[in-house]
Amino acid sequence: MIELSAIIVIGLLAQWIAWRMKIPAIFPLIILGLIMGPLSTLFLDEKWIDPENIFAGKTMYYFVSLSVGVILFEGGLTLKFKEVRQLAGVVRNLLIVGPIVMGIGGALAAHYFLDMDYRVGLLFGSLIIVTGPTVIAPILRSVRPKKNISTILKWEGIAIDPIGALVAVLVYELLFVSTMGVDGDHSMGLTQVALKTFFLTLCVGTFFGLLSGWTLHKLLKRNLIPHFLINVLSLGFVIFAFAGADTLQAESGLLSVTVMGILLANIKTPNLDKILDFKESLTVILISVLFIILSTKISMEELMLLNINSLYIFLVVVFVLRPIVVWISSWKSDLNWKEKAFVAWIGPKGIVAAAVASLFSLYLMSDNISLPPSLRSDVELLVPLTFMIILGTVTLNGLSAKFVARLLGLVQDVKNGV
């Protein structure tokens, strides 16, 4: 009871601190989570807050997954095709080039600096593909950069999350299920596994997203939902889309809720503003709780696995891989060098990277999977290394974004008209 209450209260306190300091909320959330979790064991026998005492078995990961689905749905509601028409090529390239460069580059960096097995390295590379709408949105609100930059970063941050989760699943299926005998169908070749997983995830996620979104739209348009039930029933449809898709095909739920949100945003859905306002408030609570839970779950032993070589990986991700992604994606576009530089600078990782890293770590470290000792030690690095990338990018981007935007002259003029 006390621990659950503390998670909610501390999470909302972190949101208030972030507002007062004008920084992304994820920064104080992770810091307070680490203080209440692993760092508290430096002077106590056990953690102040331990999620294992609140959630039994896989309950925590079900809660995390559903919460991330709601967050992505809220992000999808803000994506309108009319605002991205002139920038569609850049956004499309970021969603294609980004996963390739970041995934392979992250794997090579992990292998070179940490001598990580190539299979775990590719899994790590797939986890850092995603950026973070939960981090991008506060940065954009605080900085107020020019509209084309805001549009690119917002679309990339939301749309790349289900793509990153899909790539992580593909890597897991290819390198662990097919080659190591980890739970799954071992009769197919690697290419068949990849194609089957990709096709099923795409179809199942899209189907449930379109079905749920269209049904909700029709009910609202025909006034078949009373005003006081609009918000809670829309939440029910989101949960149905996510759980239904994820039950049929693992990790397709993120795609389904993103598709559902984008559909509702682009077909003139009645009461959309009311739904969006409710989801924004709900998202604040969920983000607060999620980051406290995931931060406190990390153990001191896991943090001690990080060393100076982990910092080198962070530097490669921020100063090498992200600029390469943006430079290739914006080739021959209308963006000038200052706009490209700012987009390259803003690439924070968020809740999806943390949640998926924790999920795969749980799968691979479970008692019913027998991994070689060397591979197990690499898997133990996944969560702390991913959290270090998240905390590092959030700190760097969140604290410097406004300064960099002003330095490049990309902040919108304040209009004080009536």
Side-chain angles (χ1 to χ4, degrees):
M1 177 65 177
I2 296 298
E3 287 179 293
L4 180 58
S5 302
I7 286 175
I8 299 172
V9 172
I10 292 170
L12 296 178
L13 174 64
Q15 291 281 354
W16 181 82
I17 292 173
W19 170 74
R20 289 291 295 175
M21 297 180 66
K22 293 181 171 56
I23 58 175
I26 188 176
F27 180 64
L29 282 169
I30 291 181
I31 295 296
L32 287 175
L34 291 175
I35 292 173
M36 298 293 139
L39 297 182
S40 66
T41 58
L42 294 176
F43 46 89
L44 292 175
D45 293 333
E46 56 184 18
K47 297 176 183 178
W48 275 344
I49 297 177
D50 189 350
E52 301 293 343
N53 296 334
I54 303 172
F55 300 94
K58 293 184 177 181
T59 307
M60 177 169 61
Y61 297 94
Y62 297 148
F63 172 75
V64 170
S65 298
L66 279 173
S67 300
V68 172
V70 174
I71 293 168
L72 279 186
F73 171 72
E74 188 265 329
L77 288 175
T78 66
L79 300 183
K80 296 185 178 180
F81 292 123
K82 63 181 181 181
E83 68 180 9
V84 79
R85 284 171 187 160
Q86 303 299 322
L87 302 163
V90 177
V91 173
R92 178 201 62 218
N93 293 340
L94 285 170
L95 299 179
I96 296 174
V97 175
I100 297 172
V101 173
M102 197 64 72
I104 296 176
L108 291 174
H111 178 72
Y112 179 78
F113 290 112
L114 294 176
D115 197 29
M116 187 175 281
D117 184 275
Y118 78 94
R119 289 164 290 192
V120 185
L122 284 170
L123 190 56
F124 167 73
S126 68
L127 294 173
I128 60 171
I129 285 173
V130 299
T131 53
T134 57
V135 192
I136 292 285
I139 290 177
L140 296 179
R141 278 197 301 268
S142 174
V143 176
R144 291 182 296 103
K146 292 185 176 179
K147 187 177 180 180
N148 57 347
I149 298 175
S150 295
T151 301
I152 290 171
L153 289 173
K154 182 175 70 172
W155 270 84
E156 181 201 15
I158 295 169
I160 204 169
D161 277 357
I163 294 174
L166 172 58
V167 173
V169 172
L170 285 174
V171 171
Y172 176 76
E173 290 276 348
L174 284 171
L175 302 181
F176 291 95
V177 173
S178 299
T179 63
M180 297 190 61
V182 176
D183 54 335
D185 181 7
H186 322 304
S187 61
M188 295 186 292
L190 295 181
T191 304
Q192 290 175 297
V193 169
L195 290 175
K196 177 188 175 184
T197 302
F198 178 80
F199 181 76
L200 284 177
T201 304
L202 195 63
C203 291
V204 171
T206 303
F207 171 76
F208 272 90
L210 293 177
L211 174 65
S212 301
W214 186 254
T215 303
L216 179 59
H217 170 78
K218 285 297 184 183
L219 291 174
L220 290 171
K221 196 170 184 179
R222 296 178 182 178
N223 293 316
L224 295 176
I225 300 178
H227 194 71
F228 71 96
L229 283 180
I230 288 175
N231 286 335
V232 291
L233 276 182
S234 66
L235 177 61
F237 273 95
V238 172
I239 294 174
F240 166 76
F242 182 92
D246 224 52
T247 300
L248 288 182
Q249 178 62 30
E251 304 307 321
S252 63
L254 295 181
L255 176 62
S256 70
V257 293
T258 305
V259 169
M260 180 181 174
I262 294 174
L263 175 68
L264 291 174
N266 288 277
I267 58 174
K268 297 180 180 179
T269 302
N271 293 297
L272 188 63
D273 290 342
K274 178 179 172 64
I275 296 173
L276 186 56
D277 184 60
F278 168 69
K279 290 296 185 294
E280 284 178 347
S281 300
L282 184 59
T283 295
V284 168
I285 297 174
L286 291 177
I287 290 172
S288 305
V289 171
L290 285 180
F291 270 108
I292 296 294
I293 287 174
L294 295 176
S295 299
T296 53
K297 184 183 179 298
I298 299 174
S299 66
M300 200 63 201
E301 290 74 19
E302 289 176 322
L303 290 178
M304 295 298 290
L305 294 174
L306 300 175
N307 52 38
I308 189 65
N309 289 332
S310 304
L311 178 61
Y312 295 150
I313 295 176
F314 167 75
L315 295 176
V316 168
V317 170
V318 174
F319 295 105
V320 179
L321 299 181
R322 177 64 179 175
I324 289 174
V325 168
V326 175
W327 180 75
I328 296 175
S329 301
S330 59
W331 181 260
K332 293 184 179 180
S333 70
D334 293 333
L335 298 179
N336 59 44
W337 74 267
K338 292 182 178 180
E339 292 168 331
K340 293 177 184 178
F342 185 75
V343 174
W345 183 249
I346 305 299
K349 312 302 174 185
I351 189 67
V352 173
V356 177
S358 299
L359 189 65
F360 282 117
S361 177
L362 172 73
Y363 287 161
L364 294 172
M365 296 298 290
S366 60
D367 295 334
N368 61 335
I369 295 177
S370 178
L371 293 178
S374 60
L375 205 59
R376 181 169 286 268
S377 64
D378 287 340
V379 172
E380 288 175 347
L381 261 175
L382 272 181
V383 173
L385 189 59
T386 303
F387 264 85
M388 189 205 72
I389 299 293
I390 293 171
L391 184 57
T393 53
V394 168
T395 304
L396 185 64
N397 293 161
L399 299 182
S400 66
K402 184 173 287 188
F403 170 76
V404 173
R406 286 175 176 168
L407 185 66
L408 296 173
L410 298 176
V411 179
Q412 287 188 49
D413 295 331
V414 178
K415 294 180 175 60
N416 295 317
V418 176

